[in-house]
Amino acid sequence: MKNNLLGMSLSNMEDFFISIGEKPYRAKQVFQWIHQKGISDFSKMTNLSKELQKMLAGISEIKAPEIVYEKDSKDGTRKWVLNVGEGDLVEMVLIPEGKRATLCVSSQVGCAVDCSFCATGKQGFSRNLSQAEIIGQVWVAENSFGLPRDHGSKNVTNIVMMGMGEPLLNFEAVTGAMNLMMDDKAYGLSKRKVTLSTSGLVPMIDKLSEVTNAALTISLHAPNDGLRNELVPINKKYPIKDLLNAVERYVNKCGDQRKTTIEYILINKVNDSLENAKELAKILKNVPSKINLIPFNPFAGSAYKRPSSMRVQAFKKIMQKEGFITTVRTTRGEDIMAACGQLVGKVNDKTNRKKRLAKDNKIIKTKSLV
Ligand code: SAH
Ligand code: SF4
């Protein structure tokens, strides 16, 4: 099997070049061709000798996930369905907003955490994505618009690990790919522009602070353990208090004045009452945080409903009155099933979750465009 150079850090690529008897500075040249110019054909790497181009083509490759399908929403959001082999498909979304364009990247095929409101969770779980498959999504998005690139990131200004999967359950590949996103010789995005979102794996948040200082977002979704146990089952293992303590440790370790974003999905009459808002404000009182409210995005088969905008605004008002910077996430790409929690791809479910749901007559019909 050929070595895929796409997922390698610069230092791994240097080791690779040394191992084939080449000078390490060649690694930097190839690294920049791949990530800064979007080139995957060795014969186009004009500062390499013809012999080296040929040798590299014989033993290595630059292989990104294959695009199965891409579609633009009427609001400018673009969704890709990517083939990662053996019948597994993942989804990725680019959301333009003025001068910004945020890429929502997947970390796993499906998700084992199984939150009750999430279409990805209902798909079951197949496997972790490799570092090449994760950074490959950025590579695909950057090179999708046919524009010439001569340095760093052009089409993508922000990246959020909020596609399919729980990024902290695929720690090495995700953090390795995030380092490439932030590497000046690759995509050069600042630590504030690369965000990891997690359902709350406490020990992994501590581990994260040892390898990166990228932005962290917590998918909280409930103000007390009783409710959160229902919505985000991993809460039974890592309850809210432990999670918020881990957030505090992460922020302290980063040593800046940052506020952590707390994501709170609003589900009609489940977690969106005024009492819920007050309770949320109370538990976050000492956590430097800002709140991002996400009105539930429906998918076929889910019993949950999106609250009225009046209920959403009332919740927001309480949080603001309590002193929190609070935003409501506008739903983007809904017409192409690209909104938060609607990404399903195609998952070779190894958990039997889909089968169990069907047996209990609770099958969640997830609709994909493929
Ligand atoms: N597993 C990670 C990252 C992927 S989920 C996490 O849970 O944080 C990305 C975001 O989409 C999370 O905040 C998640 O809670 C939200 N989400 C999931 N399903 C949703 C739905 N049906 N409607 C709106 N947001 C949803
Ligand atoms: Fe997994 Fe995140 Fe969906 Fe929960 S919300 S099932 S952790 S992808």
Side-chain angles (χ1 to χ4, degrees), residues 217-247:
T217 285
I218 302 293
S219 289
L220 192 64
H221 309 314
N224 59 63
D225 285 325
L227 192 49
R228 193 163 194 267
N229 287 346
E230 264 176 51
L231 301 178
V232 186
I234 196 105
N235 193 71
K236 291 176 200 148
K237 200 159 178 196
Y238 306 114
I240 293 176
K241 195 161 177 284
D242 296 355
L243 176 56
L244 296 180
N245 285 340
V247 169

Side-chain angles (χ1 to χ4, degrees), residues 98 117 123 148 154 170 205 229 288 360 363:
F117 50 80
Q123 285 286 96
K154 274 271 162 65
N170 184 13
I205 294 175
N229 287 346
D360 299 346
I363 186 66

Side-chain angles (χ1 to χ4, degrees), residues 99-165:
K99 282 192 182 144
R100 272 192 352 193
T102 303
L103 186 69
C104 182
V105 168
S106 291
S107 56
Q108 298 182 305
V109 188
C111 185
V113 178
D114 195 16
C115 299
S116 61
F117 50 80
C118 176
T120 303
K122 297 302 153 212
Q123 285 286 96
F125 175 71
S126 174
R127 67 170 176 88
N128 282 334
L129 292 178
S130 68
Q131 195 160 308
E133 289 165 337
I134 298 170
I135 201 65
Q137 295 172 60
V138 184
W139 193 90
V140 166
E142 279 291 356
N143 298 315
S144 273
F145 297 88
L147 299 171
R149 293 174 55 221
D150 45 22
H151 65 275
S153 171
K154 274 271 162 65
N155 298 314
V156 177
T157 62
N158 296 62
I159 296 176
V160 290
M161 297 302 307
M162 290 189 192
M164 296 168 69

Side-chain angles (χ1 to χ4, degrees), residues 264-315:
Y264 193 99
I265 188 169
L266 288 169
I267 309 173
N268 193 42
K269 301 201 175 146
V270 172
N271 65 349
D272 68 337
S273 71
L274 303 184
E275 289 67 41
N276 293 145
K278 286 179 193 147
E279 202 179 355
L280 181 64
K282 206 164 153 196
I283 63 166
L284 294 176
K285 209 168 92 194
N286 297 319
V287 183
S289 52
K290 49 189 179 195
I291 318 293
N292 194 5
L293 301 173
I294 318 169
F296 172 69
N297 289 317
F299 52 93
S302 171
Y304 291 142
K305 300 256 173 327
R306 182 185 294 180
S308 66
S309 54
M310 240 167 69
R311 282 180 82 86
V312 172
Q313 288 309 318
F315 198 100

Side-chain angles (χ1 to χ4, degrees), residues 167-225:
L168 290 184
L169 285 174
N170 184 13
F171 191 86
E172 300 299 331
V174 164
T175 52
M178 285 169 74
N179 285 338
L180 284 169
M181 295 166 196
M182 294 187 280
D183 188 328
D184 281 339
K185 293 188 189 69
Y187 301 92
L189 295 172
S190 81
K191 63 182 182 187
R192 288 176 199 286
K193 301 204 163 163
V194 176
T195 301
L196 184 143
S197 173
T198 180
S199 56
L201 284 107
V202 168
M204 289 307 187
I205 294 175
D206 288 325
K207 203 169 154 199
L208 188 68
S209 69
E210 286 162 18
V211 297
T212 184
N213 55 4
L216 178 69
T217 285
I218 302 293
S219 289
L220 192 64
H221 309 314
N224 59 63
D225 285 325

